[in-house]
Amino acid sequence: MMKIRLLSAVIGISMLPLSLAISSEMNRTLSTEQQYFAQEYQSKYSQINDRLRELQTYAENPDNVIIINGERFIELSGIKYKLNNKNNPEIPLRSWDDTSAIQTLFPFFTDDWELSQYSGGAVFVNKYFGNYNYGNGCLLEYYPDGSIQNGQITDIIIETSSCSVNSFDTNVRYFGNPIRLTPQDFNQDRFHATAVERYRDRLYITRSVQNQNNYIDVYNIKTNEIIDRIEGSTTSSGQTYKYHRLNELYIEDNYLFVVSWESNRVDVLDLDNNHQHIMQIGIDSSTGTGLFRPQSVVGNNNYLFISDAKDKIAVIEKTQVTPENSNHMDRFASLAFGIWHLAQVNIVIDWYKCIY
């Protein structure tokens, strides 16, 4: 499942390798989004084609055809659709805000799509990543009498070249197959979740209540049951740490990063090895670079970025995420707001002890 993440600040970075890494990660994310958007449109394109073939076959039976003033019609849910010589149904003209004739003809379009009538056919635009840039847009068009695309006559035009998350709606959306969960699925009277992440067929859902020991429920989306509960972490030295306030979860490859706000740390668990504890990222407090009330974590190919209640974002090299470095890790860099809210980068280089 694909999640759109927004950082609350735009950070100008003067360190070229790091900026290139971030740019590469952004390009990879955008590419993945574009693939998803194109797949969604292609799926609807196939459904429209299948529906038209179904109706054309239906119209071949004279018993299903109504003749009115010498013209042929089929009737669906009380709505009459005129047929052309290809047995394609034309959508009857209605008021601009009445899409019932389109929805009856193509019932698989949900409220996530904006439907409008055009020239006896219809236009379909996804509300969250579509647009009406005809010729270079992100839309589907149905023409009963056909139209020309790429030099060929077609009944359905599909355009996906400019799909991107748009401002049609301001709600946070998770692009993927929707799953509805209720508190009862987790034996709770109400949700106390602060984060949800998915790994394969498992959902990881936090339960975080102030002044209580908390946990992460592991939910199997195929069997619809809780299969595990992570109540804390046990390090390789045998120390067990309970979870108190949980703020965020983040999954990168097969690692689960658990942001424990009240405990000033981020635990790293192995998702492919029974949630075995890999390390704690608290940064080495003896060097004055420890985390204070960590808020969230996100990563790219080379780095992890951890924000906390202070004014800096810790940058950590992913190669340093090993059991040997547990709680003994210096920052590779710090991202911080400077005067006039301009972003500055403080780069700590151990061997020079310099700050750029």
Side-chain angles (χ1 to χ4, degrees):
M1 138 183 96
M2 189 189 323
K3 185 162 64 178
I4 307 302
R5 293 180 176 272
L6 301 177
L7 291 178
S8 59
V10 177
I11 302 170
I13 300 175
S14 62
M15 181 170 56
L16 183 59
L18 183 57
S19 64
L20 289 176
I22 293 174
S23 175
S24 174
E25 177 66 14
M26 289 175 64
N27 289 336
R28 185 179 70 166
T29 301
L30 289 174
S31 175
T32 303
E33 291 174 5
Q34 286 293 333
Q35 290 174 8
Y36 172 78
F37 300 155
Q39 288 170 1
E40 283 294 291
Y41 268 87
Q42 189 63 49
S43 173
K44 288 295 184 283
Y45 175 85
S46 299
Q47 286 180 289
I48 294 173
N49 267 313
D50 291 343
R51 176 65 166 166
L52 290 177
R53 283 194 292 268
E54 174 191 337
L55 294 173
Q56 288 162 359
T57 301
Y58 179 81
E60 289 174 358
N61 185 343
D63 295 337
N64 298 327
V65 177
I66 304 170
I67 306 297
I68 303 176
N69 297 327
E71 294 181 320
R72 302 163 60 246
F73 293 80
I74 57 173
E75 185 171 338
L76 305 172
S77 300
I79 302 174
K80 293 182 176 63
Y81 297 86
K82 181 181 174 181
L83 298 170
N84 63 14
N85 58 358
K86 296 189 292 185
N87 275 346
N88 277 342
E90 295 181 6
I91 299 173
L93 184 62
R94 299 195 166 197
S95 63
W96 67 272
D97 59 345
D98 183 354
T99 61
S100 59
I102 304 174
Q103 291 172 318
T104 298
L105 195 62
F106 303 109
F108 39 81
F109 281 97
T110 67
D111 290 340
D112 288 349
W113 293 80
E114 190 166 88
L115 314 179
S116 55
Q117 188 174 346
Y118 179 75
S119 191
V123 180
F124 313 89
V125 175
N126 189 281
K127 294 178 182 178
Y128 309 114
F129 49 83
N131 64 66
Y132 288 91
N133 241 347
Y134 292 100
N136 185 35
C138 186
L139 50 87
L140 288 161
E141 299 170 87
Y142 164 54
Y143 292 94
D145 295 323
S147 186
I148 297 177
Q149 185 178 38
N150 300 325
Q152 295 184 338
I153 297 177
T154 179
D155 297 334
I156 310 166
I157 288 179
I158 178 172
E159 297 180 11
T160 60
S161 60
S162 62
C163 296
S164 63
V165 178
N166 57 42
S167 58
F168 283 19
D169 185 86
T170 57
N171 293 324
V172 175
R173 297 283 167 176
Y174 288 81
F175 297 121
N177 294 327
I179 300 171
R180 181 178 179 84
L181 298 173
T182 67
Q184 288 71 37
D185 293 317
F186 299 90
N187 299 317
Q188 298 181 25
D189 57 345
R190 58 185 294 256
F191 270 132
H192 298 281
T194 55
V196 179
E197 281 288 351
R198 177 176 177 175
Y199 184 71
R200 297 178 180 170
D201 294 328
R202 307 195 296 265
L203 286 181
Y204 290 79
I205 304 175
T206 61
R207 186 262 193 187
S208 188
V209 179
Q210 191 172 4
N211 300 323
Q212 294 185 23
N213 288 331
N214 291 292
Y215 50 80
I216 303 166
D217 275 331
V218 185
Y219 186 85
N220 188 302
I221 60 177
K222 285 190 173 181
T223 62
N224 297 320
E225 61 182 355
I226 297 173
I227 57 174
D228 198 2
R229 175 166 289 175
I230 306 171
E231 298 181 286
S233 59
T234 301
T235 66
S236 57
S237 62
Q239 291 180 293
T240 298
Y241 298 88
K242 292 288 186 180
Y243 289 134
H244 299 295
R245 295 281 295 280
L246 293 171
N247 202 65
E248 177 68 293
L249 299 176
Y250 175 68
I251 291 177
E252 179 82 14
D253 298 325
N254 61 310
Y255 283 173
L256 173 66
F257 294 83
V258 182
V259 180
S260 186
W261 181 87
E262 198 168 88
S263 301
N264 299 322
R265 73 177 194 271
V266 176
D267 286 318
V268 186
L269 309 181
D270 189 341
L271 294 173
D272 290 339
N273 192 17
N274 199 31
H275 307 124
Q276 179 177 329
H277 188 266
I278 302 299
M279 70 176 302
Q280 286 181 357
I281 301 176
I283 317 295
D284 191 350
S285 58
S286 65
T287 64
T289 57
L291 296 174
F292 176 71
R293 299 293 190 253
Q295 307 291 321
S296 62
V297 57
V298 70
N300 62 21
N301 288 335
N302 302 304
Y303 303 96
L304 292 171
F305 304 88
I306 304 175
S307 65
D308 65 7
K310 294 182 179 179
D311 60 350
K312 292 182 175 64
I313 297 175
V315 182
I316 298 170
E317 289 183 287
K318 288 174 66 175
T319 56
Q320 300 301 306
V321 180
T322 63
E324 294 76 22
N325 287 329
S326 186
N327 257 343
H328 298 287
M329 180 189 301
D330 287 336
R331 303 181 186 212
F332 177 74
S334 294
L335 308 181
F337 284 108
I339 302 175
W340 312 114
H341 299 285
L342 294 176
Q344 63 183 17
V345 179
N346 299 323
I347 307 171
V348 181
I349 303 179
D350 288 340
W351 51 91
Y352 285 116
K353 298 298 180 183
C354 293
I355 297 180
Y356 286 81

